[in-house]
Amino acid sequence: EWCIIRPLARPLQRQQQLSGISHIMNLYVTRLGELATHLGIGTIEQDETGHACLTLDRLWAIHLAPLGTESMVMFLRAGALGSDVQARELLRGNLFSPEPSTIRVALGQDDHLLLWCQLPLANSEAAQIQLALQQLVARAVALSCEGESSPHSDNLSTLRV
């Protein structure tokens, strides 16, 4: 079940009146609107920088934000790093990829894993964005499950949208 988390900062309600809003920011806002319609939820509000947040199943907070002039980034905080062995496996799988929606792993300051991916704004449709969101959560679930041998598990069947 998707729901919207209201941003803490002032919502972006009158984007036409704010200076510095570029065509790309408008495209980002358009993509968020298309995603909201696709998911059947209300308007996805953003703060002044475009940051928005969605939750899935009242458990996973997924952040969305414009990245540069051509992309959007999606990220979430997953479980804590399990071991040095897990760290080595994740680093080995964290290589460059020609696929823009590849899920990448970072380590937060509190030793929690941060999962992120980016999509090009110009040609990402709502269904592609939803799939990327689901893949982020599936990867987080796989990493947080004990006994999971591969960080590349794709467990979409456990998700409800």
Side-chain angles (χ1 to χ4, degrees):
E1 173 182 323
W2 289 100
C3 69
I4 301 167
I5 296 177
R6 306 268 183 241
L8 296 177
R10 181 176 53 101
L12 183 62
Q13 295 174 350
R14 294 171 286 172
Q15 67 184 17
Q16 293 81 13
Q17 295 176 352
L18 295 175
S19 62
I21 300 295
S22 68
H23 167 71
I24 296 302
M25 185 65 171
N26 290 332
L27 184 55
Y28 170 75
V29 170
T30 298
R31 293 294 181 250
L32 289 185
E34 293 167 353
L35 177 63
T37 300
H38 183 75
L39 296 175
I41 59 176
T43 302
I44 300 174
E45 295 182 12
Q46 312 98 51
D47 65 15
E48 306 82 30
T49 65
H51 175 260
C53 188
L54 297 173
T55 60
L56 177 61
D57 292 336
R58 299 181 185 176
L59 177 64
W60 301 101
I62 306 168
H63 303 268
L64 301 94
L67 182 65
T69 59
E70 299 179 4
S71 301
M72 67 183 294
V73 65
M74 297 169 280
F75 59 97
L76 63 79
R77 183 176 185 257
L81 179 63
S83 66
D84 290 345
V85 172
Q86 183 187 32
R88 281 190 296 279
E89 286 179 12
L90 291 171
L91 287 172
R92 286 185 184 120
N94 210 25
L95 299 174
F96 293 105
S97 169
E99 177 60 38
S101 62
T102 299
I103 297 172
R104 293 171 175 84
V105 182
L107 189 61
Q109 292 180 345
D110 61 355
D111 286 342
H112 274 76
L113 299 171
L114 303 174
L115 304 180
W116 66 278
C117 69
Q118 68 186 64
L119 293 174
L121 288 171
N123 58 1
S124 293
E125 297 180 4
Q128 293 168 302
I129 298 170
Q130 179 187 8
L131 180 60
L133 293 170
Q134 289 176 309
Q135 289 173 335
L136 276 172
V137 172
R139 181 83 184 269
V141 168
L143 288 172
S144 65
C145 290
E146 290 192 1
E148 195 68 48
S149 61
S150 172
H152 303 290
S153 179
D154 192 14
N155 194 10
L156 293 179
S157 62
T158 63
L159 300 178
R160 292 178 297 119
V161 178

